[in-house]
Amino acid sequence: PRCVLHPDGRCRTAMDILTLAAMLYDAFAVPFDMAWRPEWSVVLFVGAMATAIVWTLDMLVNLNSGYYEDGILEMSRRRIVRRYLFTWGLVDLTINAVDWFSICSVFWEEQWRGVGDGGMT
C-alpha cells in the first residue's frame, strides 16, 4: 500500500529513537517543572516544543505504520487507522492536546505580559 510504513523499516526505527529521546527528556523535565516551578526559559520552552513536535509526529507515523497481528503483517490503511484509534489514538490525542495547550498558554502569557502597564515590562 502506498505510503504505509513497514513496522521494521528505517523510518519507523528512526521515529522510535526520536520518541525514546523525547521520553527521556520528559521523564526528567516534567517532574523538575512540577516540583520547582521554574520560570520558563528558552531552554525549557524549546525542550517542550521539541517534545510536542516529536509526539505529534509520532501520532502521524503511527497512523501510517503497518503492524503484526498473530505473526501476520497488516498493511491495510483502514485497519491501521482503526486499530490505532481504538488502542492508543485517543490517549495520544489527549496528551498532545494538553502539551500544545500548555505551550500555547505559556507563549500567550509571555506575549501579553506587559500589556496592562503599557507594555513597559
Side-chain angles (χ1 to χ4, degrees):
R2 191 171 170 192
C3 297
V4 173
L5 301 172
H6 193 284
D8 299 328
R10 288 183 185 165
C11 184
R12 183 68 232 191
T13 301
M15 192 67 220
D16 289 343
I17 292 168
L18 271 176
T19 58
L20 176 62
M23 195 179 315
L24 289 172
Y25 176 85
D26 281 346
F28 291 101
V30 171
F32 176 81
D33 183 48
M34 292 178 76
W36 289 283
R37 292 287 180 201
E39 284 290 320
W40 270 65
S41 66
V42 172
V43 172
L44 286 176
F45 186 74
V46 169
M49 283 289 293
T51 56
I53 289 168
V54 167
W55 295 125
T56 303
L57 287 174
D58 186 54
M59 281 185 64
L60 296 173
V61 169
N62 284 332
L63 281 168
N64 292 288
S65 293
Y67 62 92
Y68 290 100
E69 187 166 338
D70 298 325
I72 298 170
L73 179 62
E74 182 59 67
M75 297 290 279
S76 164
R77 182 170 309 281
R78 176 175 282 165
R79 289 186 179 151
I80 292 167
V81 170
R82 188 176 201 290
R83 180 176 189 246
Y84 181 61
L85 292 178
F86 286 105
T87 55
W88 286 100
L90 186 58
V91 173
D92 288 350
L93 183 63
T94 302
I95 292 169
N96 273 308
V98 170
D99 270 353
W100 283 109
F101 178 78
S102 297
I103 290 167
C104 290
S105 66
V106 167
F107 180 75
W108 191 257
E109 180 181 318
E110 290 296 319
Q111 292 298 311
W112 290 97
R113 183 171 287 205
V115 171
D117 59 1
M120 302 303 279
T121 59

